[in-house]
Amino acid sequence: MELQLALDLVNIPEAIELVKEVEEHIDIVEIGTPVVINEGLHAVKAVKKAFPNLKVLADLKIMDAAGYEVMKASEAGADIVTILGTSEDMSIKGAVEEAKKQGKKILVDMIAVKDLAGRAKEVDAMGVDYICVHTGYDLQAVGKNSFEDLQTIKSVVKNAKTAIAGGIKLDTLPEVIKVQPDLVIVGGGITGQADKKAAAAKMQQMINQG
């Protein structure tokens, strides 16, 4: 089980400072969609350059022109690129094909997918690397989470690794670990804490004990 730190509300210098605090306790650093929108793929390049030993995920949430966008993210140094589960099959297949060519990985974000089990089965058959259940900010605000969704995809996914994102904090992490995802994605559960290093260290310890 790996731990991914999601960075959403920072600029490039802030991102680098934040990762410095927690780098020994995380496996993957995510350049979140708001950061990509504000800073462009320069953010991916800068973080990969600063932390060559960490994997970097570019959260592009690709919907179309997937091959091209995966190529651009790969050129910037991304190890993993995200595409939406709601996008066309042709787009997901195009993303997988380009990622294989570049030696990179594809994570499918299942945000807003209505038939989770059905779609997870379909994208799993397309050769993606990760399938991620995700409760976004807007649904977190009304008290939703993805814990049951994780069990749903775990029961049907045969090839890809499973991941979970959205509102995971220290007190809810044990519930997540019970379901044994391959990747746990945490944003504010680390970045919103006074002592980020301690929060990341504790989460890493809990995940490793799994």
Side-chain angles (χ1 to χ4, degrees):
M1 215 182 303
E2 289 189 304
L3 179 60
Q4 175 171 311
L5 173 69
L7 300 175
D8 286 318
L9 306 173
V10 291
N11 59 29
I12 293 173
E14 288 165 350
I16 288 170
E17 280 311 302
L18 212 159
V19 177
K20 263 185 203 157
E21 280 187 65
V22 300
E23 65 172 308
E24 67 196 272
H25 303 297
I26 61 171
D27 303 290
I28 302 169
V29 58
E30 169 188 332
I31 308 303
T33 314
V35 181
V36 176
I37 288 168
N38 291 331
E39 299 273 7
L41 287 169
H42 300 296
V44 173
K45 194 173 275 186
V47 170
K48 188 66 184 177
K49 187 178 174 192
F51 305 99
N53 297 327
L54 284 179
K55 285 182 274 191
V56 174
L57 177 141
D59 189 17
L60 300 191
K61 293 193 176 73
I62 295 170
M63 193 73 183
D64 187 34
Y68 175 77
E69 293 188 0
V70 169
M71 178 179 75
K72 287 290 153 194
S74 301
E75 286 170 1
D79 300 288
I80 308 167
V81 186
T82 67
I83 187 166
L84 294 174
T86 52
S87 57
E88 300 287 355
D89 290 4
M90 282 301 292
S91 300
I92 296 174
K93 287 171 181 168
V96 168
E97 192 180 327
E98 184 61 32
K100 283 195 164 44
K101 211 184 286 179
Q102 302 281 352
K104 310 295 184 178
K105 291 187 174 357
I106 295 294
L107 179 144
V108 176
D109 185 336
M110 301 294 274
I111 194 168
V113 170
K114 296 298 177 244
D115 176 12
L116 261 182
R119 190 59 175 153
K121 251 188 218 170
E122 289 171 357
V123 297
D124 192 31
M126 293 176 208
V128 305
D129 300 285
Y130 296 90
I131 299 173
C132 180
V133 290
H134 182 191
T135 301
Y137 282 119
D138 299 338
L139 283 185
Q140 283 177 47
V142 293
K144 296 270 198 298
N145 67 48
S146 298
F147 306 155
E148 274 181 38
D149 294 343
L150 178 60
Q151 288 177 311
T152 301
I153 67 161
K154 281 282 289 189
S155 67
V156 297
V157 169
K158 301 281 183 277
N159 307 303
K161 292 181 173 179
T162 56
I164 181 168
I168 299 167
K169 308 272 190 289
L170 262 176
D171 59 346
T172 53
L173 185 58
E175 205 178 332
V176 171
I177 290 170
K178 254 186 241 164
V179 193
Q180 292 287 298
D182 299 289
L183 179 60
V184 178
I185 302 170
V186 179
I190 292 172
T191 62
Q193 306 309 303
D195 190 340
K196 297 171 186 59
K197 186 180 173 67
K202 181 69 182 154
M203 286 189 168
Q204 181 192 41
Q205 182 194 4
M206 289 162 75
I207 283 168
N208 288 345
Q209 286 167 348

